[in-house]
């Protein structure tokens, strides 16, 4: 069989490996980090590589979401378009579980991420990429990032409240 992915890597914005799942054992994380150091140096140049590049017999297919790169590496001849589509599906699965795909949410949920990576790809071949189906296999609760808007303190705004913080009455009668 040809066309299988060797490994899936999740890198931070600086190209360091956050999470990796090796399916075949023929591509190391250090190879990916070295390649991404070169790619990040060329970023913005006219000769910067696209989402698919080939170096030292390894094909790298990657996408970026916020501050995270998702990378598939393969030593075999693989269908790049289907693997790019697969990476987009992985992003959707992660967003379903964690609300936002960010470095912090992946670090907070690394156990769930590894469970998902085990289910969505088997020996380098994509399997399940539907979040509802994966929800039947993976019952672990994921920590969802919450964006809480913090109000500035009253001393900063010079606003004086007519009622102390946290005091509520059913009606506002005197």
């Amino acid at each position: 069989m040809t066309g299988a992915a060797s490994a899936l890597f999740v890198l931070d914005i600086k190209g360091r490996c956050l999470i990796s799942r090796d399916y075949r054992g023929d591509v190391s994380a250090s190879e990916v980090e070295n390649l991404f150091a070169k790619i990040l140096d060329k970023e913005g140049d006219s000769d910067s590589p696209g989402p698919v590049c080939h170096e030292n017999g390894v094909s790298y297919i990657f996408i970026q979401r916020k501050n995270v790169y998702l990378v598939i590496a393969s030593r075999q001849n693989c269908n790049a378009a289907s693997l790019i589509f697969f990476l987009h599906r992985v992003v959707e699965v992660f967003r379903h579980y964690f609300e936002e795909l960010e470095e912090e949410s992946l670090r907070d949920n690394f156990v769930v991420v590894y469970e998902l990576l085990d289910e969505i790809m088997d020996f380098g071949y994509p399997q399940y990429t539907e979040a509802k189906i994966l929800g039947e296999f993976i019952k672990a609760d994921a920590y969802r990032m919450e964006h809480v808007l913090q109000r500035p303190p009253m001393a900063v705004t010079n606003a004086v409240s007519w009622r102390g913080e946290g005091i509520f009455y059913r009606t506002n009668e005197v």
Side-chain angles (χ1 to χ4, degrees):
M1 290 185 180
T2 62
S6 297
L8 191 145
F9 299 94
V10 180
L11 307 175
D12 66 3
I13 198 73
K14 295 180 181 175
R16 293 183 304 241
C17 187
L18 297 173
I19 295 174
S20 67
R21 179 65 174 96
D22 194 355
Y23 297 104
R24 297 187 167 256
D26 56 359
V27 177
S28 70
S30 61
E31 289 178 277
V32 175
E33 287 179 354
N34 291 338
L35 172 78
F36 262 80
K38 293 176 189 175
I39 288 175
L40 293 174
D41 287 342
K42 292 181 181 178
E43 193 172 11
D45 292 349
S46 61
D47 62 335
S48 64
V52 179
C53 59
H54 189 79
E55 186 167 313
N56 297 331
V58 180
S59 297
Y60 298 95
I61 297 119
F62 62 93
I63 62 171
Q64 180 185 6
R65 288 294 175 269
K66 292 196 177 184
N67 59 354
V68 175
Y69 287 98
L70 278 81
V71 182
I72 289 183
S74 179
R75 285 210 182 268
Q76 299 180 0
N77 185 14
C78 58
N79 185 344
S82 67
L83 290 178
I84 289 174
F85 179 73
F86 173 75
L87 288 175
H88 285 284
R89 295 294 301 160
V90 170
V91 168
E92 292 303 316
V93 168
F94 286 163
R95 289 168 100 196
H96 174 79
Y97 273 84
F98 315 132
E99 292 293 324
E100 294 290 329
L101 177 58
E102 294 180 0
E103 181 179 346
E104 182 181 344
S105 65
L106 291 171
R107 287 183 191 270
D108 290 343
N109 296 298
F110 71 93
V111 174
V112 176
V113 171
Y114 278 111
E115 287 182 27
L116 288 169
L117 293 179
D118 284 339
E119 292 295 332
I120 63 176
M121 192 172 265
D122 187 27
F123 198 60
Y125 295 100
Q127 297 296 313
Y128 301 110
T129 57
E130 182 63 41
K132 291 182 182 181
I133 293 173
L134 289 168
E136 295 176 14
F137 299 136
I138 300 171
K139 300 290 184 186
D141 289 332
Y143 170 76
R144 294 178 180 259
M145 292 186 57
E146 296 177 13
H147 297 286
V148 179
L149 296 175
Q150 293 183 346
R151 297 186 322 190
M154 291 294 219
V156 173
T157 61
N158 291 330
V160 178
S161 174
W162 63 276
R163 182 180 289 164
E165 289 286 327
I167 299 175
F168 298 102
Y169 296 102
R170 191 173 290 204
T171 59
N172 287 326
E173 294 179 359
V174 176

